[in-house]
Amino acid sequence: MSIARTTTFALAALCLAHASRAADEPELYHFIDRDLVRVSGELIGVTDKAVQYRDSVGRSRSIDRSTLLAFYSRRHHGAAAPTSISIADNAGEVPGVLRLTDGQLVPGFLLTTVAHADSIAWRSRRVGPFNLPLDAVSAISFADSEPIEKSTSDVVLLTNADRMEGFVESIGGNLVMEVQGAKQTVPLERVASIRLAARQAAFAANLVALTDGSILAARSIAAGPSPSALTVEWSLAGEGASGVLDLGAIDAVVFDPQSIRPLASCEIVRHEPLQARRWAPPPVVQPADQAPVGLASITIDGPAACEWRLPANASRLRATLSLPESARPWGNTTVAASLIPRSGTPTKPQAFELTTDKPETELSLDCTGMERVRLEVKGRGYDQVQARVVLLEPVLRITTK
């Protein structure tokens, strides 16, 4: 056998061995407590009172659920309309993604044979069929399209890119909408997406994100019939429904959605270049639908400063500051974090150094009573354009009554 063929076989065997090891490695979950401190490990069980995980050295650990805000994996998140109709799916059902005002996200099917004013009929393969008032619906997508921004009126995007604004009366086999005082009837096959001007509702007590892209509200989460399962009572349908979930089907659980807010959802009130730089690109924000529990990461290209307006009841900000792979060979970035109260006088900046030897560090700020947070990203040596930092999953703790 030639040396080339021997090398090829050796490389192939190495790749197969690596793939086998990767497949055998357990999924890593991240657990956030009420101080926004994260620990990581393999999820091994959930009971009424605790969440169990296995740490990096194989020890079993337990976290009291009363101290836990959420846990999640970093698998790719996102929901898409079902791509195929099975025998169990009826011809009168149109695949799509339903978004509710309380944070739920339900891939499934619109039941077109049922059309009532002010309500819709939907079916989830996970939960089954249910009816919802239109006031509980934030948006429906039937085809790949750009998200429709919020508006004071209902907005419908058609498959030919035409746009309609007005008041949606009913959604069934046809969409009935009042536009400038005149009633319009549009066949549903011409509708790409719908955005309703419904107000944001309070998040449900528990939100459970599944590997199929669903984010469903749960009245209760308890131990299942086996250690690798959960018993969940959903609160999506009118009277609720219960079911058993395998742990492997869970991307995330948020036990207290009211107390968590992504920094990426806050308004950027100032962005400016620093150190004589004439222009700086705006921060790049990960799509929230693809981020674990909506905690979108943010990349800042410096030298630049960025300020966010904080919610009035924000009490702590935490994030992992990380050099992106492309900037790690240079390894010279400083992040200065300061808080700005209503008086306008910033606090003394807290500096965080990122280097090749230490490419990540934790940022944790007490922002009680503060109006804004400011981050300045600067380089140290080499070319200043290498001053780039990623805020991994920046999260705010919201103090609730």
Side-chain angles (χ1 to χ4, degrees):
M1 183 180 293
S2 68
I3 294 176
R5 291 186 64 188
T6 302
T7 303
T8 300
F9 285 136
L11 288 173
L14 183 63
C15 290
L16 287 172
H18 178 76
S20 177
R21 284 196 302 271
D24 292 339
E25 290 178 359
E27 184 71 36
L28 196 64
Y29 282 78
H30 306 271
F31 306 86
I32 306 180
D33 69 13
R34 292 190 175 273
D35 288 326
L36 303 186
V37 175
R38 293 183 178 95
V39 296
S40 302
E42 176 192 356
L43 179 65
I44 57 176
V46 178
T47 69
D48 300 0
K49 297 182 179 180
V51 174
Q52 287 105 24
Y53 71 97
R54 187 172 291 110
D55 66 18
S56 59
V57 295
R59 293 172 298 192
S60 295
R61 300 286 192 178
S62 181
I63 306 175
D64 191 318
R65 270 178 52 169
S66 66
T67 68
L68 199 61
L69 287 179
F71 67 83
Y72 59 89
S73 76
R74 286 194 173 122
R75 286 183 290 231
H76 175 78
H77 291 249
T83 55
S84 62
I85 304 296
S86 69
I87 296 175
D89 301 326
N90 300 316
E93 301 181 343
V94 178
V97 177
L98 174 68
R99 299 171 186 271
L100 305 185
T101 57
D102 64 357
Q104 297 189 73
L105 189 64
V106 194
F109 304 87
L110 176 72
L111 307 183
T112 60
T113 56
V114 182
H116 301 289
D118 301 327
S119 70
I120 67 163
W122 194 266
R123 184 175 70 82
S124 160
R125 286 174 174 166
R126 175 72 64 180
V127 179
F130 56 92
N131 295 320
L132 280 177
L134 283 178
D135 287 347
V137 177
S138 173
I140 307 175
S141 299
F142 298 109
D144 291 334
S145 58
E146 292 295 321
I148 302 175
E149 69 279 3
K150 289 184 180 180
S151 173
T152 55
S153 59
D154 298 337
V155 179
V156 174
L157 184 66
L158 303 180
T159 54
N160 64 357
D162 284 351
R163 180 185 176 104
M164 301 169 61
E165 295 193 34
F167 175 75
V168 172
E169 295 185 0
S170 66
I171 305 172
N174 297 313
L175 180 138
V176 181
M177 186 175 190
E178 182 182 299
V179 181
Q180 296 181 346
K183 186 175 294 188
Q184 303 280 347
T185 300
V186 181
L188 199 65
E189 59 264 24
R190 291 185 54 205
V191 177
S193 57
I194 304 167
R195 179 66 181 261
L196 301 182
R199 292 183 178 179
Q200 180 70 45
F203 286 126
N206 302 289
L207 289 176
V208 181
L210 305 177
T211 53
D212 67 356
S214 301
I215 301 176
L216 301 176
R219 288 194 182 100
S220 66
I221 303 171
S226 70
S228 62
L230 302 178
T231 298
V232 180
E233 184 181 358
W234 305 113
S235 61
L236 180 65
E239 296 182 359
S242 62
V244 175
L245 283 177
D246 185 82
L247 291 181
I250 297 174
D251 265 346
V253 174
V254 184
F255 293 109
D256 191 357
Q258 303 283 6
S259 297
I260 294 179
R261 182 164 176 184
L263 179 65
S265 68
C266 298
E267 177 191 5
I268 295 177
V269 294
R270 177 176 294 176
H271 176 254
E272 57 189 0
L274 298 176
Q275 296 178 319
R277 195 179 188 189
R278 299 175 65 182
W279 176 83
V284 177
V285 181
Q286 177 188 13
D289 285 353
Q290 299 175 14
V293 295
L295 299 181
S297 296
I298 303 170
T299 301
I300 302 175
D301 274 300
C306 193
E307 291 182 18
W308 291 264
R309 190 183 307 280
L310 298 172
N313 50 351
S315 56
R316 181 161 293 279
L317 168 64
R318 194 173 185 103
T320 299
L321 303 178
S322 176
L323 288 177
E325 291 295 334
S326 60
R328 290 191 180 190
W330 304 100
N332 285 279
T333 299
T334 299
V335 179
S338 57
L339 294 158
I340 305 171
R342 291 179 180 83
S343 65
T345 303
T347 60
K348 182 180 179 181
Q350 184 176 351
F352 300 85
E353 306 290 344
L354 299 173
T355 67
T356 300
D357 295 331
K358 187 183 178 183
E360 290 190 351
T361 189
E362 290 297 311
L363 175 147
S364 182
L365 301 173
D366 181 353
C367 49
T368 304
M370 297 296 172
E371 186 176 64
R372 287 172 286 159
V373 59
R374 177 182 174 90
L375 298 183
E376 296 185 358
V377 179
K378 301 177 181 180
R380 295 185 299 112
Y382 301 105
D383 194 339
Q384 293 289 355
V385 297
Q386 291 296 331
R388 184 180 301 116
V389 69
V390 181
L391 279 66
L392 293 174
E393 298 156 14
V395 58
L396 290 160
R397 183 183 64 204
I398 305 300
T399 301
T400 57
K401 294 183 180 180

